[in-house]
Amino acid sequence: MKNRRAVFAALLIILPLTGQASPACSCCGAPPSAATETGHPLRGVIVAVLPEKSALLVKHEEIPGVMAAMTMLLKVDAPTLAAAKKDTVITARLLKKTDGWWLESVQVAATP
Ligand SMILES: [Cu+2]
């Protein structure tokens, strides 16, 4: 039953992928704390704007208790996406939703 084994192997590969269809951080597998309801303050730089994913690639600073500094995809709403520009330093609220990590209240940060 070589064929059956191949199908099983394929499922093993596909299932974890569909389980995180949204681009959550690999290091952020920890269950969200109650604090994620209101989100965590985030500061970072927009590395890329990805309209096809409704997301921004953001290089963010450490968020204590949530995740280390990293570059990751963060979903945003359409107006935020339209206004976003590469290389902009932003502050925002980071929220864990069922479909992944979102940024809300995105604002251009004052750069020193
Ligand atoms: Cu992250």
Side-chain angles (χ1 to χ4, degrees), residues 25 60 67 70 72:
C25 304
H60 67 74
M67 66 178 84
M70 71 183 73
M72 67 188 289

Side-chain angles (χ1 to χ4, degrees), residues 25 27-28 60 63 67-72 74 94:
C25 304
C27 73
C28 302
H60 67 74
I63 304 159
M67 66 178 84
M70 71 183 73
T71 302
M72 67 188 289
L74 295 164
L94 178 73

Side-chain angles (χ1 to χ4, degrees), residues 24-70:
C25 304
S26 54
C27 73
C28 302
S33 65
T36 54
E37 275 177 46
T38 52
H40 303 274
L42 172 147
R43 182 183 169 91
V45 182
I46 299 174
V47 176
V49 180
L50 304 166
E52 71 277 11
K53 294 184 189 299
S54 298
L56 305 177
L57 186 63
V58 176
K59 182 179 181 182
H60 67 74
E61 296 177 357
E62 181 188 359
I63 304 159
V66 182
M67 66 178 84
M70 71 183 73

Side-chain angles (χ1 to χ4, degrees), residues 47-104:
V47 176
V49 180
L50 304 166
E52 71 277 11
K53 294 184 189 299
S54 298
L56 305 177
L57 186 63
V58 176
K59 182 179 181 182
H60 67 74
E61 296 177 357
E62 181 188 359
I63 304 159
V66 182
M67 66 178 84
M70 71 183 73
T71 302
M72 67 188 289
L73 278 181
L74 295 164
K75 297 188 178 200
V76 291
D77 62 19
T80 303
L81 188 69
K85 289 189 173 57
K86 188 177 182 294
D87 297 329
T88 304
V89 179
I90 56 166
T91 58
R93 305 289 298 177
L94 178 73
L95 287 95
K96 174 91 170 177
K97 298 190 182 181
T98 53
D99 59 347
W101 291 96
W102 281 73
L103 276 189
E104 292 186 352

